[in-house]
Amino acid sequence: MSDVAVIVPTLRRPESLERALRSLFSQTGVADRLREIVVIDNDPQASSRETVDRLRPAAPVPLIWRHAPRPGVATARNEGLAATDAPLIAFLDDDEAASPGWLAALLAGQAMTGADAVFGPIRGRVPDGTGWSTPYLERFFGREGPVQSQLIDHPYGCGNALLVRATALPGAAPFNTSADQSGGEDDALFAALAARGGRFGWSADAWVDEFAPPHRANLRYALTRAFAYGQGPSQTAAAARNWPAVARWMVIGAAQTAVWTLAALPLLLSRDPRRAQVLDRAARGLGKLCWMKGFEPHFYGARELARLERQKPA
């Protein structure tokens, strides 16, 4: 029974999108399960249409293209869900490439654990020339978990994930579009799922590679993103109006910021490569402390579109 759709949001990454789609065309062990692949173009200029049209004859299942002209990560995910009625939804980002057994492993992990959302490991790939920070950046853009498939007590992000639609994706637009520019739409979704008693699973063999583009494969971007990740627990508690939890996370964040900043000082003076990881921890602590509106970095939507416009040849 064909019961799973793969959704791929994209924004002006034609080469990367082609790599992601070809990896989906090469999936093994899912011929009777994969219903369709849905590409959501989040570019107002609909720039991926030609790429999708060109690749459609090679697709083993229907390759659906939909346009979400208002740039925003949550908007794109919601549009993808509106384009399919499949009861199981897998997400693959356009900067990722799935291993041949990726989807089969996610499905097996979900069947084994009975989880509402299942996640898999990611190998971070960065361009040449990142120097001493390469090991940190590869870990940053990667994802590690248990060595065996099992239930886990916390979620990861939507990239490389399989979700049971009926329980994990309620309503017509489950992703909060207020996160369109900053991201974190999956954090809010999974926090709500956990509050409803939902379960999370890990599929140890569901590997993807994530290829960090040059403008992201640097310490400044990674630490800014680490700060945003740190904001997540405080923001989730604030959204639930759980003010004691907000206060607790802020105290934790203040302590982490102080401890890891002090730990970073001698590493910075000696130019020790470990300074990147220590600064990452300090940034996450600072994020827990500075979670309020106005402190949110913007990585998606209009900000990313503006960056791409600046790069266009004159």
Side-chain angles (χ1 to χ4, degrees):
M1 176 182 68
S2 299
D3 59 352
V4 58
V6 181
I7 295 176
V8 185
T10 189
L11 176 58
R12 289 195 196 175
R13 291 178 178 173
E15 297 85 2
S16 183
L17 174 63
E18 179 166 350
R19 179 176 57 209
L21 291 178
R22 290 194 180 279
S23 77
L24 293 176
F25 299 167
S26 301
Q27 292 298 295
T28 59
V30 292
D32 60 338
R33 301 292 302 275
L34 182 58
R35 178 180 298 186
E36 56 211 1
I37 299 167
V38 181
V39 175
I40 303 302
D41 190 335
N42 208 203
D43 181 4
Q45 297 181 14
S47 57
S48 73
R49 186 195 291 268
E50 184 278 332
T51 299
V52 172
D53 287 346
R54 176 170 52 83
L55 293 177
R56 188 171 282 114
V61 296
L63 179 58
I64 299 169
W65 181 89
R66 291 289 184 272
H67 191 205
R70 189 183 77 180
V73 60
T75 292
R77 295 196 191 282
N78 285 335
E79 184 66 28
L81 292 171
T84 178
D85 61 358
L88 295 174
I89 302 293
F91 284 102
L92 186 75
D93 290 342
D94 67 350
D95 57 359
E96 295 177 331
S99 60
W102 168 72
L103 187 55
L106 283 177
L107 289 166
Q110 195 282 323
M112 185 191 77
T113 62
D116 303 282
V118 180
F119 309 92
I122 298 173
R123 295 184 189 91
R125 307 288 195 186
V126 298
D128 294 336
T130 52
W132 68 269
S133 64
T134 297
Y136 162 74
L137 291 171
E138 288 177 339
R139 289 193 302 273
F140 181 84
F141 289 104
R143 176 194 291 171
E144 297 179 353
V147 295
Q148 295 181 332
S149 299
Q150 61 185 65
L151 286 170
I152 54 177
D153 59 6
H154 65 278
Y156 292 87
C158 267
N160 188 7
L162 176 72
L163 282 66
V164 178
R165 187 168 195 151
T167 56
L169 296 163
F175 291 100
N176 188 340
T177 56
S178 67
D180 263 348
Q181 312 305 313
S182 59
E185 79 292 344
D186 41 8
D187 291 339
L189 181 85
F190 295 135
L193 176 58
R196 297 194 301 270
R199 298 191 296 172
F200 305 110
W202 177 260
S203 179
D205 296 323
W207 280 97
V208 306
D209 291 302
E210 179 169 328
F211 297 85
H215 75 279
R216 292 186 174 183
N218 59 75
L219 194 59
R220 178 177 179 178
Y221 175 89
L223 293 180
T224 305
R225 194 68 176 265
F227 173 85
Y229 288 153
Q231 290 179 311
S234 298
Q235 290 176 337
T236 298
R241 297 187 179 277
N242 186 347
W243 304 117
V246 172
R248 180 171 62 86
W249 282 117
M250 291 182 71
V251 169
I252 292 171
Q256 290 176 334
T257 303
V259 168
W260 293 113
T261 299
L262 288 172
L265 291 177
L267 300 178
L268 287 167
L269 292 172
S270 64
R271 304 182 66 82
D272 190 308
R274 291 175 297 174
R275 65 189 185 274
Q277 188 61 51
V278 176
L279 289 170
D280 179 291
R281 293 177 178 178
R284 291 173 194 255
L286 187 61
K288 294 181 181 69
L289 188 62
C290 302
W291 57 270
M292 298 74 76
K293 294 291 183 182
F295 288 97
E296 297 172 321
H298 288 179
F299 304 102
Y300 303 104
R303 177 69 173 270
E304 177 64 5
L305 188 64
R307 186 193 66 80
L308 291 167
E309 288 292 335
R310 290 194 300 270
Q311 288 188 335
K312 288 174 66 174

